[in-house]
Structures are given as C-alpha cells and as structure tokens.
Amino acid sequence: IIVLPDTSEMLAQIKVHESLVNRVKPGMKATVKIDAAQGKTFEGKVDSIGIMAQQGGGWMGDNVREYEVKIALDLPPGSPALKPSMRCEAQIITESVADALSVPLTAIFNEGPRTVVYAVRGAKYEKVPVKEGRRSDLMAELTSGVRAGENVLLREPPPALVLSDA
C-alpha cells in the first residue's frame, strides 16, 4: 500500500521562535513565498500552532526553541503546482497600524536610558530624543520627538557634524 499526498490543499509548515509565538493566533493572515514556484507569494491563514517547542540545533545552536506553525494556503486557480517539502519563507501579520510615524530600526540609537535619532539640519545633524511605540522586525513607531516628513540618518554621523547633544 502506498500513500499519495493530496496537493489540492497545501499547508506551509514553518518554525516560529519561542519569543514570538505568543503573538501568533489561529486565523491570522500570512503570506508565504515559495522559491521553487518561481518565487510566487501565496496568501494564507494560520491553521495551527504546535503545543511543544522543538529544540534547535545545527548552526543556530542547541538553546534555540521554536514552535511549529502550519499555514493553510489559499491557492487561486491556475497557481503553479506545489509539491510537498518545498522550501518556503513566511510572514505572519500579527498586528497592523493604519496611521503611524515610523523609521527604520537602523535610524534609532540607544544612549543609556534614552533613545535618539539624528535629524538633518542643513549640512549637520541634531541628536533628537524620541519615544518608541511598537516595533516590527524592520521598523519602529515614533510617538514623539520628530515630525512627519523630517529626514533622519540611518547611521551615526561623525561627532564633528552633530550640532548639539539634546
């Protein structure tokens, strides 16, 4: 007897680090990119979250613990044929913000207890204290300190170009 997989319904099986798994809930929207399918991205929803963490290993080390999360893919008609065990990369949208002032994480610098950005002031830069709100893996919301449309640096400038230490 042989078992033939049913490829009309596909699940993406991913691993989520233990520090992030509490943010993931069944039914959350996700996008899954599959390189073997010409890099196409598919929409889906979180189907299930593993109960027990799996211990990592290999290059990530033995102390990494991850949870298995399954994402049910919404495959539109005419989608490329997917096969079991194809590698994928997934993004699960745990929260979205409609209207927020945000900057890339590389624009934020910590100086002890305070957080600053370097705002462009002509040919020089001003160190401006800011307050952070929510964060993603790439961006941070700023709740005070700078205004919309104000340019900030993505790296720390040489000390000679800093106007003042606010």
Side-chain angles (χ1 to χ4, degrees), residues 100-103 108-110 113-117 128-135 140-147:
L101 176 64
S102 64
V103 295
I108 297 175
F109 301 90
N110 293 316
R114 77 178 187 166
T115 304
V116 299
V117 297
V128 179
V130 294
K131 287 192 179 169
E132 271 188 76
R134 296 165 282 209
R135 275 185 170 220
E141 175 186 26
L142 298 182
T143 58
S144 70
V146 293
R147 295 179 305 278

Side-chain angles (χ1 to χ4, degrees), residues 27-32 42-46 71 73 90-93:
M28 286 184 157
K29 291 184 180 181
T31 56
V32 178
F42 300 93
E43 300 297 315
K45 288 187 180 171
V46 173
I71 300 170
L73 299 179
Q91 257 189 341
I92 300 171
I93 302 162

Side-chain angles (χ1 to χ4, degrees), residues 22-66:
N22 287 333
R23 296 183 188 177
V24 179
K25 307 284 183 241
M28 286 184 157
K29 291 184 180 181
T31 56
V32 178
K33 179 181 172 191
I34 302 173
D35 289 334
Q38 298 83 41
K40 295 229 187 261
T41 301
F42 300 93
E43 300 297 315
K45 288 187 180 171
V46 173
D47 185 61
S48 65
I49 302 159
I51 296 172
M52 300 261 312
Q54 298 173 353
Q55 191 159 349
W59 68 272
M60 290 181 64
D62 291 334
N63 292 328
V64 175
R65 295 204 181 352
E66 298 173 313

